[in-house]
Amino acid sequence: MATGFAIAAGAMAVAGALGHYMARRHASGIDPGHEWLAGHAVPSPQFDYALLTLLVSVVTAHWAVWASRRGERGHTWVGMAITLVMGFAFFNMVMFSLNRMEIEIGSGEWANLAFATTGLALALLVVGMFYLGLMTLRSLGGSVGRESSTPLGAAVFFWDFAVLAWTATWYAVYVVK
């Protein structure tokens, strides 16, 4: 129940942030891409690969839940480990891309809003990774298994939401620009 409320609150925050970003982009003029980006180059392939990494992590997270419900502890641990490694790989690629873009707070409206919306989506993913890590530790301790896989399922549900929030942010900020 608490995970559902957290997802609802996060969805409202992401919707508000992206709504504000898109409203400001639309208000910047007829052709917002010209002055809106203010000389920033967006490395699309890196962000695309980061998104693909997250989508693979969703598959491995669901594999872990599936294995947990069948009492396959080894598969559960491997699935969660791969999910967490993919999460770290995602952060590595996004940080590399942001450094390559040289976004600085205060260098323009696009940079400020892109940094804020990206930061919100990344914060949700950090919370999701923490939640997944906690459930991985619980499964290592034996409290998540065939009879009690609901906590792991809740963590994966939050991870699904966080990936969806990143996908919406990626599309609005880095694809549509």
Side-chain angles (χ1 to χ4, degrees):
M1 189 65 109
T3 301
F5 285 130
I7 290 171
M12 287 186 281
V14 169
L18 290 177
H20 180 68
Y21 173 85
M22 289 186 273
R24 293 303 308 148
R25 183 186 71 213
H26 180 70
S28 68
I30 297 172
D31 185 19
H34 181 63
E35 295 208 9
W36 181 245
L37 292 176
H40 293 285
V42 177
S44 293
Q46 287 86 3
F47 283 114
D48 296 347
Y49 291 134
L51 178 63
L52 286 174
T53 302
L54 274 185
L55 295 177
V56 169
S57 76
V58 167
V59 172
T60 59
H62 282 275
W63 169 41
V65 171
W66 177 84
S68 174
R69 289 187 179 141
R70 281 154 185 76
E72 298 282 341
R73 294 179 75 174
H75 286 271
T76 302
W77 299 338
V78 170
M80 292 308 293
I82 292 172
T83 302
L84 291 171
V85 166
M86 291 288 189
F88 286 120
F90 162 79
F91 280 106
N92 184 39
M93 183 59 74
V94 169
M95 290 303 139
F96 171 79
S97 300
L98 292 176
N99 285 334
R100 188 169 169 211
M101 289 172 53
E102 298 177 357
I103 293 179
E104 294 179 9
I105 296 175
S107 64
E109 186 175 19
W110 180 82
N112 291 343
L113 291 174
F115 187 79
T117 55
T118 301
L120 175 61
L122 289 176
L124 288 171
L125 285 162
V126 166
V127 169
M129 285 187 64
F130 179 74
Y131 196 3
L132 287 172
L134 181 65
M135 291 304 110
T136 301
L137 292 176
R138 284 189 65 188
S139 71
L140 287 172
S143 66
V144 174
R146 183 177 294 200
E147 295 83 24
S148 59
S149 62
T150 304
L152 183 61
V156 170
F157 184 50
F158 188 86
W159 185 249
D160 292 342
F161 159 70
V163 169
L164 183 63
W166 171 259
T167 304
T169 302
W170 164 79
Y171 182 74
V173 176
Y174 300 106
V175 174
V176 177
K177 299 177 192 78

